[in-house]
Amino acid sequence: MIPVPSGVRVWLATGHVDMRKGFPGLSLMVQEVLKRDPNSGHLFCFRGRRGDLLKIIWHDGQGACLYTKRLERGRFLWPSVADGAVTLSPACPLKLLG
């Protein structure tokens, strides 16, 4: 589990992303597509085309972190919003379809 401080927002990049990207490529997407600062301390989540792979980038104040989660069964449900980003709240958690 990621020890996320209070006040940190979780941003979902809508659509799918090339999962070969590492922190430099994903942080560039955060800047150019989501119009956010990848070093802000917020979590930025990206989903692969098949929906079973999730990558999260986070700058924890000391350095950049890249987390990856691959599901053995099922897939992550992902919003299809035109503006490119959705933020989550505790009342609206990320759900799995499986």
Side-chain angles (χ1 to χ4, degrees), residues 33-62:
V33 177
L34 304 181
K35 306 292 188 219
R36 306 278 181 235
D37 178 10
N39 299 319
S40 64
H42 297 298
L43 287 112
F44 299 96
C45 306
F46 302 89
R47 190 187 86 148
R49 181 179 298 275
R50 292 188 318 217
D52 65 341
L53 183 61
L54 179 76
K55 283 191 175 181
I56 302 171
I57 61 171
W58 177 45
H59 195 282
D60 65 358
Q62 296 178 350

Side-chain angles (χ1 to χ4, degrees), residues 17-26 48 53 55 66 70:
V17 174
D18 181 355
M19 288 287 107
R20 295 174 291 183
K21 292 181 187 275
F23 188 84
L26 294 174
L53 183 61
K55 283 191 175 181
L66 177 61
R70 182 181 303 277

Side-chain angles (χ1 to χ4, degrees), residues 1-97:
M1 184 158 166
I2 303 171
V4 179
S6 63
V8 171
R9 298 181 82 172
V10 178
W11 293 92
L12 303 180
T14 59
H16 62 273
V17 174
D18 181 355
M19 288 287 107
R20 295 174 291 183
K21 292 181 187 275
F23 188 84
L26 294 174
S27 64
L28 187 61
M29 289 188 68
V30 170
Q31 291 174 1
E32 293 182 350
V33 177
L34 304 181
K35 306 292 188 219
R36 306 278 181 235
D37 178 10
N39 299 319
S40 64
H42 297 298
L43 287 112
F44 299 96
C45 306
F46 302 89
R47 190 187 86 148
R49 181 179 298 275
R50 292 188 318 217
D52 65 341
L53 183 61
L54 179 76
K55 283 191 175 181
I56 302 171
I57 61 171
W58 177 45
H59 195 282
D60 65 358
Q62 296 178 350
C65 305
L66 177 61
Y67 297 95
T68 305
K69 174 77 173 189
R70 182 181 303 277
L71 298 176
E72 292 179 10
R73 290 188 318 264
R75 60 186 174 98
F76 293 100
L77 290 179
W78 217 247
S80 56
V81 178
D83 71 355
V86 172
T87 186
L88 294 180
S89 70
C92 179
L94 185 63
K95 296 179 180 165
L96 302 176
L97 176 64

